Amino acid sequence: MNEISDAYNELFERKHRENLAGLESSWIGDDMKKIAGYIDYTVKSIHALQMHSAVFTRVITHPNLLDALEDIMDTEDIVLHHTKAHVKPPEKGAPYLMHQDYHYFPHKKHTMLAVFLHLDDTTPENGGLAVYPGSHKLGPLKDYGVTDEKTGDSYHYVNPEKYPLSKAEPVLAKKGEIIVFSYLLLHGSYLNLSDRSRRMFLIQVRAADDEPTEDVHKSPCQGLVLRGNNIYREATMANRFTTMDKH
Ligand SMILES: O=C(O)CCC(=O)C(=O)O
């Protein structure tokens, strides 16, 4: 854990120095402003951490993690979708409205799982996760999204009146604990008003036999086989640069 934490801090500190503004990833919109109590909230994000340090490659390929995922997913053919990290700083760490990750990268068979590694002891006070248990069984819900006109980035969430963050169940976790959940599970997270930061590392994985229903959310190492095989992967010269599998 200390090796992961040190590599994570070193990466964020270096990228802060290079381009702090470029790491901003907090959501926009009136619903966000409202749950953030109209303070000037922020969250810093870096994607594809395995492209920055081998420590993260070792995390995503760790045999104990893959043993657990194989049990949960009921397949040994597991591929990477993407990784990212969020740092919610003390006193102004951004909340997240309740959402399903599905809306960001929809797939046909809904095998996608979020593997949420906590790098700090986490409670609602420092911006921890909150979930609606069992909500993954509801299937994809209506998307209440907003698009940033400047960047074109879209933010997706569900009806904040029907599924408020305040009625969700808090998830408490110790540093080093991993929470695994379906990309259909309604989840969000609290504002960090405490004096502690909240760091996390997120890995999204899917079964090899699943496939995207929209051509969105491409990222480095997508499709990397973490365990087992991917029999859907193209092998012709003509398709050697494709990121999509053949189904
Ligand atoms: O960083 C967080 O607390 C939540 C992030 C999240 O829900 C997501 O990226 O889908």
Side-chain angles (χ1 to χ4, degrees), residues 27 43 47 82 84-88 94-97 99-101 104-105 114 116 127-130 181 187-190 198 200 202 204:
W27 292 4
V43 60
H47 281 236
H82 71 279
K84 71 177 175 189
H86 286 165
V87 176
K88 289 193 190 187
Y96 281 84
L97 291 154
H99 64 281
Q100 295 176 309
D101 292 337
Y104 286 90
F105 34 87
F116 196 110
L129 269 178
F181 55 91
H187 66 285
S189 63
Y190 302 98
R198 199 258 16 216
M200 63 78 128
L202 185 78
Q204 296 271 358

Side-chain angles (χ1 to χ4, degrees), residues 13-54:
E13 278 157 23
R14 189 155 37 82
K15 294 301 171 190
H16 267 199
R17 286 195 297 274
E18 286 173 18
N19 179 9
L20 179 59
L23 305 186
E24 185 56 52
S25 68
S26 54
W27 292 4
I28 59 157
D30 291 341
D31 291 319
M32 269 303 286
K33 287 187 196 150
K34 195 169 161 193
I35 60 157
Y38 300 95
I39 70 161
D40 194 11
Y41 57 84
T42 178
V43 60
K44 306 293 187 255
S45 181
I46 296 177
H47 281 236
L49 278 80
Q50 70 283 359
M51 304 300 284
H52 294 275
S53 167

